[in-house]
Amino acid sequence: MTVQNPAVEVYDFKRPTTLARQQTRALEQAFETFSRQWGTQLTASLRVMSQVAFDQVVVESYADYAASLPSRTTMVLCAMGEHPARAVIQFPPDAAFGWIATMLGATSPIVAPDRRYTPIELSLVRRLAAGVLEDLSYSFGGILIDDLRVESVHENSMVAQATAPSDLMVVGAFMVRAGGGPAAEASIAIPLAELLPRLGVDVLDAVAGHRPERLRDHVIAAPVEVALRLREVPVSPRRVLDLAVGDVIPLPHGHTRPFDLAVDGRIIARAAAGAVGARLAGVVIDLEESA
């Protein structure tokens, strides 16, 4: 008879387990929802496709959390109502400089400067962090208070003091990628003392029940592709294969005919060419009845 050795799980007495399995699962579910919301918010803010992938959630002291971060980083401290401790939104400054450049019109990845944020850049960082707090409040539902606000931005993990070093934090780890830039490690840290009273036996139902109440608002805010299109012209495969530089394909679209305004490939309106300042624009002149 073969006796198999039981699986051995390492237990760190410096980090005692403080959450039940159901509580941990509720936090994982909330952070997974948050990662999708954050990715959508970044896509809308930066106007480039962005993804946020949830990695793991751990409970550790604030001292251990701060020590695990690089000394040069971005830590946004967030007030939570009257709670004395602060939540933390953390991400690398190199990633933040790339996000800011994209918001200001950059079309390709930049080399992040080795300096502090300018006042304008700091204002944009705070704006992005405010959007993160909205997603966080929505995703956590009833287990996190709604009164969240950006308080301060720090660029050194050894300077930022969100709470006492021994206080426990719930830390969610993420990988963030915006446009064609590299993936960046980010984290969200929330004082356990703020979450624990709301992590009851019905916490999964509370999180799930909170979503439909605000689902419509988030669907309405989701970014969609909008295009102005000329009238299509059928072309044979032979014509396509014989195309060369300089060839002209006549289009059956009169110069007075309005463009088709399409959302995700579906025509919803007609629009004429226009301008807003130095930018081209479409002026809606008619709506599709079937839309």
Side-chain angles (χ1 to χ4, degrees):
M1 180 178 66
T2 301
V3 178
Q4 296 182 347
N5 293 328
V8 177
E9 182 176 350
V10 177
Y11 186 88
D12 188 348
F13 286 92
K14 294 182 180 179
R15 300 177 183 177
T17 301
T18 56
L19 298 178
R21 182 185 299 273
Q22 187 178 15
Q23 294 171 324
T24 301
R25 178 54 189 149
L27 290 172
E28 290 174 343
Q29 184 173 318
F31 275 125
E32 287 170 355
T33 302
F34 165 74
S35 67
R36 293 190 292 270
Q37 294 297 124
W38 191 7
T40 300
Q41 183 253 127
L42 270 180
T43 298
S45 299
L46 307 183
R47 300 185 298 278
V48 295
M49 187 58 64
S50 305
Q51 301 89 28
V52 178
F54 170 63
D55 183 14
Q56 64 174 346
V57 57
V58 297
V59 177
E60 58 185 351
S61 69
Y62 180 73
D64 288 342
Y65 168 63
S68 69
L69 301 175
S71 58
R72 181 175 178 267
T73 189
T74 301
M75 296 180 69
V76 182
L77 301 191
C78 307
M80 302 180 298
E82 300 301 322
H83 199 282
R86 300 293 183 257
V88 179
I89 305 170
Q90 178 271 327
F91 45 81
D94 289 356
F97 279 120
W99 301 341
I100 292 169
T102 302
M103 292 176 69
L104 297 179
T107 57
S108 60
I110 66 166
V111 177
D114 186 12
R115 58 169 173 78
R116 298 175 63 87
Y117 296 119
T118 65
I120 293 177
E121 291 167 341
L122 194 60
S123 176
L124 293 175
V125 168
R126 295 176 69 94
R127 181 187 300 180
L128 287 173
V132 172
L133 291 184
E134 291 180 4
D135 296 332
L136 198 64
S137 178
Y138 162 74
S139 303
F140 273 71
I143 61 178
L144 184 64
I145 64 174
D146 290 331
D147 188 13
L148 300 172
R149 60 188 184 279
V150 174
E151 185 176 79
S152 59
V153 180
H154 300 267
E155 300 179 53
N156 190 314
S157 61
M158 306 307 295
V159 174
Q161 294 296 325
T163 186
S166 60
D167 286 353
L168 294 177
M169 306 287 285
V170 174
V171 181
F174 305 87
M175 294 298 294
V176 183
R177 184 187 299 274
E185 296 183 0
S187 62
I188 302 292
I190 306 172
L192 179 61
E194 166 59 30
L195 296 177
L196 200 56
R198 298 176 177 84
L199 287 173
V201 294
D202 298 327
V203 66
L204 284 173
D205 295 334
V207 173
H210 180 75
R211 294 174 185 167
E213 299 175 6
R214 300 178 64 183
L215 180 59
R216 173 181 169 81
D217 293 338
H218 283 265
V219 169
I220 292 176
V224 295
E225 293 290 336
V226 178
L228 290 180
R229 304 193 314 191
L230 298 170
R231 184 178 177 184
E232 297 178 352
V233 56
V235 178
S236 67
R238 177 177 295 278
R239 180 74 180 278
V240 174
L241 294 174
D242 290 340
L243 285 176
V245 176
D247 286 352
V248 176
I249 299 179
L251 298 176
H253 195 105
H255 69 279
T256 60
R257 176 187 172 92
F259 298 103
D260 292 333
L261 179 63
V263 175
D264 196 23
R266 180 183 177 186
I267 298 174
I268 64 167
R270 311 291 177 186
V276 177
R279 302 182 63 180
L280 295 177
V283 181
V284 177
I285 59 175
D286 185 27
L287 297 177
E288 284 282 297
E289 295 183 357
S290 59

